[in-house]
Amino acid sequence: MPLTGTLGVRAAETATPTSGAKVNVKVKPGEFTFKQQDSQAMVPSFSFSDAQVSNENQQLELSNKANEKISVNNYSGTGEAWQVNAKLSALSLTNDNKKDATISGAYISMTPSQTSNVASPKTITPQEFTAGAESTPLLKFDKNEGMGSIEFSLTNVTLNLPKITWQGSYTADLTYTLTKTPTN
């Protein structure tokens, strides 16, 4: 009697072919600047309550709290350390015959307060900016910190005045400078 049966045949296993490829993209640096609104840098100006002609020191509070924020866009993509400096010019009389009158020894005191969700800066302590003095750091970020969109409120802002001889309206320029800083 002949033997009959089924002979199993396996299908040939084939490997799925693969090949490597690359995706390339060049990322260019973005802006490193104060945020702009209506073509103006978003940095605060201050108006203070009225003072009196006096031989006594006076500390004045803000009379207008409309804009107390410093806003920076750091999209440079380099991770470089950076800082914001401030400089207060002489507080000078603007509307009288005594155009050369200034208040010597006046200074603004302010404390930066973080409002955006980024690493805290190295410097965030109360700062004093004396009228007519050199530029002073307000905020400092170390290497690889402070990247992205950053915003700080300036709180506890006061104008401290020594002896005032001449009555009238006084003004000063408060200049903010945003710079990358070398690391040592």
Side-chain angles (χ1 to χ4, degrees):
M1 177 156 243
L3 290 172
T4 60
T6 310
L7 182 60
V9 177
R10 289 179 123 177
E13 292 182 20
T14 58
T16 305
T18 61
S19 179
K22 295 192 185 297
V23 174
N24 295 308
V25 63
K26 183 175 183 175
V27 178
K28 296 180 180 180
E31 64 184 1
F32 176 67
T33 186
F34 290 111
K35 284 186 186 177
Q36 303 284 310
Q37 183 175 3
D38 300 327
S39 300
Q40 296 293 317
M42 291 178 65
V43 294
S45 292
F46 302 111
S47 293
F48 293 93
S49 56
D50 293 339
Q52 299 290 319
V53 172
S54 174
N55 282 333
E56 301 295 321
N57 292 341
Q58 299 173 61
Q59 186 177 62
L60 308 178
E61 301 294 324
L62 288 175
S63 62
N64 178 3
K65 295 185 178 188
N67 177 19
E68 298 174 351
K69 293 184 170 55
I70 290 181
S71 299
V72 174
N73 283 329
N74 180 8
Y75 294 106
S76 61
T78 63
E80 291 177 82
W82 62 274
Q83 67 188 41
V84 173
N85 287 0
K87 181 178 181 179
L88 183 64
S89 71
L91 196 59
S92 302
L93 188 60
T94 59
N95 65 349
D96 242 322
N97 294 336
K98 298 286 183 190
K99 299 251 186 244
D100 60 342
T102 60
I103 301 175
S104 297
Y107 66 93
I108 290 179
S109 178
M110 62 181 100
T111 304
S113 170
Q114 185 171 347
T115 57
S116 61
N117 198 13
V118 297
S120 293
K122 184 176 183 179
T123 301
I124 190 164
T125 58
Q127 300 294 321
E128 292 181 355
F129 302 93
T130 302
E134 293 296 315
S135 181
T136 304
L138 176 61
L139 299 168
K140 281 185 175 183
F141 282 90
D142 285 334
K143 185 177 179 181
N144 300 324
E145 295 179 349
M147 297 173 70
S149 182
I150 297 148
E151 184 175 273
F152 283 83
S153 286
L154 298 176
T155 59
N156 303 321
V157 179
T158 59
L159 175 61
N160 300 276
L161 301 174
K163 175 183 173 180
I164 302 174
T165 305
W166 296 99
Q167 66 86 27
S169 293
Y170 290 79
T171 61
D173 293 324
L174 184 56
T175 305
Y176 300 94
T177 307
L178 176 64
T179 59
K180 293 182 180 176
T181 55
T183 54
N184 296 335

